[in-house]
Amino acid sequence: MSKCVVVGGGVAGLVAAYLLNKQGRKVVLIEQSDQCGGLLNSVTDDDENYFDQGTHIPNLTGIDELDNFLFGSEVEQKENWLCIPQLKTGNYFAKKWDYETQTIDTRKLPLALYEQGVGQLLSRNSDSSATNIQDYSEDTLGPIFFESLVKPVIDKLYGEQRDYTTLTAKNSVNYFGATRVIALDEAATEKLKELPVYDAKLGYHKHKNYQERLYKDGIKEPSYLYPKSSKGMQAWVDDLVNKVKQCGVEIKTQCIISSLHKNKSRITEVRLNSGEVISCDLLYWSAPPFIALKAMNMQTDSVSVTFRTAHIYHFCLDKPLKDKHSHYLWNWDESSRVFRITLYGNFNSRKQNQITAEALADKSDKEVPPKQILEDLIKMGLIDANSNLLSYKHQVIHNTFPVPTFEFEQSVIKNYDMLKESADNIIISGRFSGKYWLLGDVLVDTYNAISHTLSDSH
């Protein structure tokens, strides 16, 4: 029986281990921490309330075999999962809420600034070939909207930059919606979005308009799921780990790869820091590629990378939240360091009065005390000012968001290509491959990569 080694115990690694095992292969999964799940593991406060480490709401992938492993059969889905047909989000900007979209409404700017900015946006009627975020934003939105809208979002996510042209044009700022804006009334927006150049930089005013566009383009809006358990996402991780163990996968936690040994163009052994040697016919790698390259004594492309530190504030209150419909929210206002907020009770009634706020900072930044974050949430109108704090948990996670410089992007690509070419029997997937950001996309990529590799081997 051939032996497969899966490195990385996040959801992608668990999926890989399950799929490889189903093909009749012996699988060993290696995870360096003391438990699988990665950032999808939940944390508990002193009162044993479970909180997710950020906003994680998975969706059905549309691949039956994959969805059956992730969420169970249709009967099990109804029993264990809450179906969320539409994720309800919104954004806070200029001290006002917009509960229809995460896209910033430029009309909230001072009138003179808005009029100048929208004039620049409309006059830019050609595509941009710029590869850095500042030039791209100025080419498409104009200098005024870059300075007043995009730049503050960059600062909130990645910190103030000496030179914004060192950041790539395509990064999480795009994912979070800061390079697309609301600029005119609804009718004018609909008309302008018929032109590709404006479609790329104007957002819809209402979610129903976005849904109509998906229908027109033949795209089905995904269905989202959230565990019914009060444990939140931890219940999902626990279920996946149990499924993987039950099918015969051996999981080794608190293990570090010390070396990878090759015979010609194939990796044949995985050596652990404990001294254990695992024979290997196929290696699935979902950790950062440079770790594998170092384990093979190959020269990695090392650059100076700046990582952000995530501060995650979890609160349990004695009164209901004032926002009773949003699932998660974005804060683009400069008045608070918070950038994303999760309102658990609005999609799981067993987690009423629980809220999580996330902020990013440099390691050297002074920590914002939980009391200040709580006051910010009250000022935003999300929490009743008369609420009492029953319990809280403040998480500090270093080395999360990397600042998306060109050096970093090129290093990721180079290390990925080097690792891919280093051996014939390696699959590189997961978020660290640099190809995908969203969890659903990562899992589909894992499924396709393994299916393709196994079909080629038969």
Side-chain angles (χ1 to χ4, degrees):
M1 179 185 291
S2 64
K3 196 167 200 176
C4 302
V5 178
V6 173
V7 176
V11 176
L14 293 169
V15 166
Y18 173 78
L19 293 172
L20 291 168
N21 177 270
K22 279 198 70 177
Q23 294 295 323
R25 299 174 183 232
K26 186 174 182 180
V27 182
V28 178
L29 186 150
I30 309 297
E31 168 57 41
Q32 69 172 357
S33 71
D34 59 357
Q35 59 183 343
C36 293
L39 288 176
L40 289 180
N41 284 302
S42 301
V43 296
T44 56
D45 61 20
D46 291 339
D47 288 346
E48 294 300 312
N49 295 302
Y50 281 81
F51 294 90
D52 303 336
Q53 297 185 81
T55 303
H56 302 296
I57 308 172
N59 61 276
L60 294 167
T61 67
I63 301 173
D64 291 341
E65 181 182 15
L66 182 55
D67 286 336
N68 189 65
F69 168 68
L70 292 171
F71 309 111
S73 65
E74 288 187 14
V75 172
E76 289 170 323
Q77 287 179 29
K78 290 179 180 178
E79 182 180 348
N80 301 317
W81 291 85
L82 296 160
C83 180
I84 306 172
Q86 175 194 330
L87 281 182
K88 296 177 182 177
T89 185
N91 79 89
Y92 188 69
F93 178 70
K95 296 182 172 54
K96 294 179 182 178
W97 281 107
D98 181 342
Y99 290 110
E100 284 286 346
T101 175
Q102 68 189 55
T103 304
I104 299 173
D105 192 335
T106 62
R107 297 172 300 176
K108 294 178 182 178
L109 292 170
L111 181 59
L113 193 64
Y114 162 72
E115 289 178 339
Q116 290 178 330
V118 80
Q120 290 181 353
L121 181 147
L122 291 173
S123 68
R124 284 155 169 75
N125 55 9
S126 59
D127 295 328
S128 173
S129 59
T131 56
N132 73 76
I133 189 65
Q134 179 171 346
D135 289 346
Y136 175 81
S137 299
E138 291 185 349
D139 285 351
T140 55
L141 302 178
I144 288 177
F145 285 165
F146 171 73
E147 286 290 331
S148 57
L149 303 177
V150 180
K151 187 176 174 182
V153 172
I154 295 173
D155 293 347
K156 187 182 282 275
L157 296 176
Y158 300 121
E160 291 186 24
Q161 306 294 310
R162 291 183 181 178
D163 183 0
Y164 291 81
T165 64
T166 63
L167 304 185
T168 60
K170 301 297 182 182
N171 57 57
S172 349
V173 173
N174 307 85
Y175 161 61
F176 293 140
T179 54
R180 190 189 293 265
V181 298
I182 292 173
L184 301 159
D185 63 35
E186 194 171 334
T189 296
E190 286 281 354
K191 198 67 180 174
L192 281 172
K193 282 181 73 64
E194 294 176 4
L195 303 173
V197 67
Y198 293 111
D199 184 39
K201 59 186 177 181
L202 292 176
Y204 286 109
H205 290 237
K206 296 178 180 177
H207 187 77
K208 70 173 185 178
N209 302 127
Y210 172 68
Q211 288 177 310
E212 290 169 356
R213 173 63 177 271
L214 290 180
Y215 180 79
K216 179 182 176 182
D217 292 345
I219 300 172
K220 184 178 179 181
E221 189 172 15
S223 295
Y224 293 86
L225 301 172
Y226 191 83
K228 290 182 178 180
S229 169
S230 60
K231 290 186 175 182
M233 295 303 290
Q234 187 64 52
W236 189 34
V237 171
D238 292 346
D239 180 59
L240 295 181
V241 170
N242 287 336
K243 285 180 179 178
V244 167
K245 285 181 176 179
Q246 287 171 6
C247 72
V249 172
E250 181 182 2
I251 297 178
K252 293 180 178 292
T253 56
Q254 295 182 294
C255 290
I256 296 174
I257 307 293
S258 60
S259 62
L260 298 172
H261 286 247
K262 289 171 59 180
N263 182 7
K264 296 181 180 179
S265 62
R266 296 181 67 82
I267 295 169
T268 57
E269 290 181 347
V270 177
R271 294 177 180 259
L272 306 180
N273 59 331
S274 63
E276 183 179 358
V277 179
I278 305 171
S279 61
C280 176
D281 297 300
L282 178 67
L283 177 65
Y284 172 89
W285 192 271
S286 65
F290 78 87
I291 296 175
L293 293 173
K294 285 186 175 181
M296 289 188 281
N297 291 319
M298 296 178 65
Q299 186 174 0
T300 62
D301 187 64
S302 58
V303 297
S304 177
V305 180
T306 301
F307 286 95
R308 302 286 275 164
T309 293
H311 291 265
I312 311 179
Y313 303 84
H314 309 288
F315 301 107
C316 185
L317 307 159
D318 67 343
K319 287 184 172 60
L321 305 178
K322 295 180 74 174
D323 180 332
K324 301 184 185 305
H325 63 276
S326 300
H327 296 119
Y328 69 99
L329 297 165
W330 303 94
N331 173 26
W332 302 133
D333 198 88
E334 297 178 80
S335 62
S336 170
R337 288 248 296 267
V338 172
F339 80 94
R340 184 166 58 185
I341 304 153
T342 308
L343 303 92
Y344 300 96
N346 291 338
F347 47 84
N348 185 337
S349 60
R350 299 179 69 180
K351 297 171 72 65
Q352 288 287 355
N353 308 352
Q354 293 184 16
I355 187 169
T356 289
E358 302 169 72
L360 296 171
D362 290 332
K363 283 184 180 179
S364 58
D365 288 348
K366 185 178 179 181
E367 288 188 9
V368 178
K371 182 180 179 181
Q372 177 61 57
I373 299 297
L374 200 60
E375 289 175 357
D376 289 350
L377 296 176
I378 291 172
K379 289 177 183 177
M380 291 181 212
L382 299 177
I383 294 176
D384 190 319
N386 296 316
S387 295
N388 294 306
L389 184 61
L390 299 179
S391 58
Y392 77 92
K393 176 85 171 182
H394 177 197
Q395 278 186 281
V396 180
I397 307 175
H398 296 297
N399 300 324
T400 53
F401 281 54
V403 177
T405 62
F406 283 99
E407 273 192 310
F408 173 73
E409 179 186 59
Q410 291 162 5
S411 176
V412 169
I413 293 171
K414 187 173 180 180
N415 285 335
Y416 173 83
D417 289 341
M418 287 174 61
L419 182 56
K420 186 178 180 181
E421 295 168 3
S422 68
D424 296 335
N425 62 333
I426 185 170
I427 300 173
I428 313 164
S429 190
R431 185 171 287 176
F432 289 114
S433 69
K435 294 185 293 181
Y436 299 103
W437 173 264
L438 299 176
L439 177 61
D441 294 335
V442 170
L443 298 181
V444 170
D445 177 61
T446 296
Y447 179 87
N448 290 334
I450 289 178
S451 299
H452 178 72
T453 300
L454 294 181
S455 64
D456 285 350
S457 64
H458 291 313

